[in-house]
């Protein structure tokens, strides 16, 4: 009897409802090539990781060269050239005074490291009461337990509620859904009030505030005013609370600068990085902090050691990929490409906003989001699967967040390719009323 074929269990996939996965044979530039001969524009950078295009030869060659020399070595008590060079290159682009770099595996683990670092920082200083975190509504920080805890309450995490630790939640600057209803140009960031009151009353028990700076990704590609982030930074400084910036998505140019925090001219105490770090080739993450945080762990008391690590910490292959990706920022016109994408987004905004199916359009850097009108808004909106299938048939990989369609392309996308993506989205908008009508008939 022949053995049963293996069963691959795919992430964020309901096997009883969702279509079969699309087999991909190779990628090049902005394109993914399927086993049956089609090509798809990867308009979401394969879950937001690919920044320079698929199969970039500089990164591929750097990985191959590193593999012939050293594939891995334990990072506790050892070091290697690739990690040291990457640390230097990161240090060149990180805002002062983020100097100390702790490597891990992916975005979720980078957040776990940040949370544990913040908690132990206060414990090492003898302030053991500071054990609570503050997080924003609509937040998403990853799928490990700590990251889930500071993420928003949602169906994503409902099954794991018993594992999550309690956090204080404060409003996000979701301007489109602002209850105050002010014009954005005159908004005084009323949503900062709850955080102001919370820190004023309970700062002695709060270790850190964690934010996705200026752009909340999985929560719906929500774009914040820079003033919102600036106020949070000032409040954290005023009340002696650490600020953690989760730049896993926003880092490495996504918002127009190398890091989103630069757009607001603020520096967090701790920053989490991943996704674009290796150009989308290999899993690698970094959590970076200021000397003030680091020095709380440097001690003759061994109990002050940061007891956290991963088997593949600072994996040389991942480090080599990240070094090559950072070199591309120096050798190719990356920020000119980013500016061109941003310009196209802003040109398309008013055109999309006119459509009767569109509720809101927002953009920052290389990211554009179109929030559609729906009677079932949210991640499980019936709009999502219908549009997802439509986009694939048109040769574009777009993966709506419920009723929010977003574009987040590799920086090498051409104007022609990007306009084709917009044409496909514009065509799809006419289908939204029919999707709603079909849903109502059932």
């Amino acid at each position: 009897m022949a053995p049963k074929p293996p069963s691959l269990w795919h992430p964020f996939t309901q096997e009883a409802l969702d279509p079969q996965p699309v087999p991909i044979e190779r990628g090049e530039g902005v394109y993914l090539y399927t086993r049956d001969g089609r090509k798809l524009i990867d308009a979401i950078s394969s879950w937001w990781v690919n920044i320079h295009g698929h199969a970039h030869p500089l990164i591929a060659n750097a990985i191959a060269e590193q593999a012939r020399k050293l594939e891995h070595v334990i990072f506790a008590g050892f070091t290697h050239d690739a990690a040291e060079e990457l640390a230097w290159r990161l240090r060149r682009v990180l805002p002062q005074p983020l100097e100390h770099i702790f490597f891990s595996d992916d975005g979720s683990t980078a957040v776990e490291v940040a949370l544990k670092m913040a908690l132990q920082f206060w414990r090492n200083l003898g302030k053991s009461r500071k054990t609570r975190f503050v997080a924003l509504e609509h937040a998403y920080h990853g799928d490990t337990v700590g990251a889930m805890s500071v993420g928003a309450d949602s169906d994503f995490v409902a099954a794991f509620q018993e594992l999550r630790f309690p956090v204080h939640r404060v409003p996000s600057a979701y301007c489109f859904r602002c209850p105050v209803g002010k014009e954005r140009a005159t908004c005084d960031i009323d949503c900062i009030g709850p955080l102001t009151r919370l820190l004023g009353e309970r700062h002695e028990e709060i270790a850190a505030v964690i934010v996705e700076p200026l752009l909340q990704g999985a929560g719906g590609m929500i774009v914040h005013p820079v003033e919102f982030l600036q106020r949070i930074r000032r409040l954290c400084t005023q009340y002696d609370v650490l600020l953690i910036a989760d730049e896993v998505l926003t880092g490495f140019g996504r918002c127009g600068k190398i890091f989103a925090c630069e757009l607001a001219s603020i520096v967090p105490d701790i920053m989490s990085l991943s996704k674009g770090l290796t150009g989308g080739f290999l899993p690698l993450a970094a959590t970076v902090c200021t000397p003030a945080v680091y020095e709380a762990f440097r001690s003759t008391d061994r109990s002050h050691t940061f007891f956290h690590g991963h088997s593949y910490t600072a994996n040389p292959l991942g480090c080599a990929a990240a070094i090559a990706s950072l070199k591309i920022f120096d050798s190719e016109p990356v920020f000119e490409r980013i500016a061109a994408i941003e310009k196209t987004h802003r040109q398309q905004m008013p055109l999309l906003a006119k459509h009767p199916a569109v509720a809101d359009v927002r953009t920052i850097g290389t990211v554009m989001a179109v929030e559609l009108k729906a009677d079932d808004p949210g991640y499980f909106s019936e709009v999502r699967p219908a549009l997802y299938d439509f986009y694939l048939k048109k040769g574009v990989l777009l993966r709506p967040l419920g009723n929010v369609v977003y574009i987040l392309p590799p920086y090498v996308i051409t104007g022609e390719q990007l306009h084709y993506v917009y044409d496909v989205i514009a065509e799809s908008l006419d289908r939204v009323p029919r999707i709603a009508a079909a849903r109502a008939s059932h």
Side-chain angles (χ1 to χ4, degrees), residues 352-434:
L352 290 172
K354 292 178 182 177
H355 197 283
V358 173
D360 188 47
V361 184
R362 44 191 180 262
T363 186
I364 182 171
T366 65
V367 184
M368 163 69 84
V370 182
E371 184 163 345
L372 304 176
K373 296 175 183 175
D375 58 3
D376 61 339
Y379 187 79
F380 293 112
S381 172
E382 292 294 328
V383 169
R384 192 206 76 83
L387 290 185
Y388 176 67
D389 183 61
F390 174 80
Y391 296 141
L392 288 180
K393 288 177 179 176
K394 290 290 185 177
V396 180
L397 171 54
L398 289 167
R399 187 181 171 90
L401 294 162
N403 61 309
V404 177
V405 178
Y406 69 92
I407 308 172
L408 198 156
Y411 305 151
V412 293
I413 195 168
T414 66
E416 182 180 1
Q417 292 162 343
L418 187 53
H419 278 96
Y420 177 74
V421 174
Y422 272 107
D423 289 343
V424 170
I425 292 175
E427 185 179 353
S428 76
L429 296 180
D430 292 330
R431 301 173 63 88
V432 175
R434 281 179 274 160

Side-chain angles (χ1 to χ4, degrees), residues 84-414:
E84 292 177 358
E85 182 179 351
L86 176 55
W88 276 107
R89 288 186 177 275
L90 279 174
R91 187 66 194 85
R92 282 175 49 205
V93 298
L94 285 166
Q96 292 278 3
L98 294 172
E99 298 178 0
H100 301 279
I101 302 166
F102 190 98
F103 289 116
S104 61
D105 298 347
D106 56 32
S108 189
T109 61
V111 169
E112 294 285 337
V113 169
L115 296 174
K116 293 174 71 174
M117 191 179 286
L119 194 67
Q120 190 178 345
F121 166 78
W122 294 113
R123 184 175 294 275
N124 286 357
L125 293 182
K127 298 183 179 181
S128 56
R129 283 188 60 197
K130 294 174 82 70
T131 60
R132 299 291 294 273
F133 292 95
V134 181
L136 300 183
E137 294 174 354
H138 310 291
Y140 175 81
H141 296 286
D143 298 325
T144 49
V145 172
M148 282 197 308
S149 297
V150 292
D153 296 327
S154 70
D155 290 326
F156 273 41
V157 297
F160 316 110
Q161 188 57 42
E162 289 76 16
L163 296 176
R164 299 169 74 211
F165 55 74
V167 303
H168 297 292
R169 299 193 189 281
V170 295
S172 158
Y174 195 170
C175 296
F176 172 61
R177 300 196 179 280
C178 177
V180 176
K182 290 184 178 180
E183 291 294 327
R184 297 182 196 187
T186 60
C187 177
D188 194 34
I189 318 297
D190 296 86
C191 46
I192 204 71
L195 178 62
T196 303
R197 292 188 291 273
L198 175 64
L199 293 184
E201 295 168 2
R202 308 186 70 167
H203 60 91
E204 291 183 354
E205 68 181 48
I206 294 173
V209 176
I210 182 168
V211 300
E212 297 160 86
L214 300 185
L215 175 67
Q216 291 183 290
M221 294 297 165
I222 301 165
V223 179
H224 295 162
V226 294
E227 294 85 358
F228 182 66
L229 182 58
Q230 290 167 342
R231 299 271 186 97
I232 292 174
R233 173 68 277 183
R234 288 201 292 269
L235 286 169
C236 288
T237 301
Q238 178 182 347
Y239 288 107
D240 198 22
V241 169
L242 296 178
L243 175 60
I244 300 171
D246 176 357
E247 292 241 21
V248 169
L249 162 60
T250 56
F252 304 102
R254 279 294 174 203
C255 292
K257 295 284 190 179
I258 194 73
F259 302 111
C261 286
E262 290 185 61
L263 291 170
S265 301
I266 69 104
V267 180
D269 302 288
I270 302 172
M271 180 187 286
S272 298
L273 304 170
S274 189
K275 289 198 183 292
L277 176 57
T278 67
F281 273 67
L282 288 170
L284 185 70
T287 303
V288 298
C289 70
T290 64
V293 173
Y294 173 79
E295 288 301 325
F297 294 84
R298 185 178 173 86
S299 171
T300 56
D301 183 346
R302 285 198 178 273
S303 70
H304 287 188
T305 303
F306 188 46
F307 290 108
H308 186 100
H310 299 255
S311 300
Y312 284 92
T313 295
N315 172 255
L317 302 180
C319 290
I323 291 166
S325 180
L326 290 171
K327 285 181 177 179
I328 292 170
F329 278 92
D330 296 330
S331 63
E332 298 184 16
V334 177
F335 280 100
E336 287 90 337
R337 294 166 180 164
I338 290 170
I341 295 169
E342 185 171 11
K343 181 179 179 181
T344 301
H345 286 340
R346 296 200 176 278
Q347 290 171 342
Q348 293 292 324
M349 279 183 71
L351 303 177
L352 290 172
K354 292 178 182 177
H355 197 283
V358 173
D360 188 47
V361 184
R362 44 191 180 262
T363 186
I364 182 171
T366 65
V367 184
M368 163 69 84
V370 182
E371 184 163 345
L372 304 176
K373 296 175 183 175
D375 58 3
D376 61 339
Y379 187 79
F380 293 112
S381 172
E382 292 294 328
V383 169
R384 192 206 76 83
L387 290 185
Y388 176 67
D389 183 61
F390 174 80
Y391 296 141
L392 288 180
K393 288 177 179 176
K394 290 290 185 177
V396 180
L397 171 54
L398 289 167
R399 187 181 171 90
L401 294 162
N403 61 309
V404 177
V405 178
Y406 69 92
I407 308 172
L408 198 156
Y411 305 151
V412 293
I413 195 168
T414 66

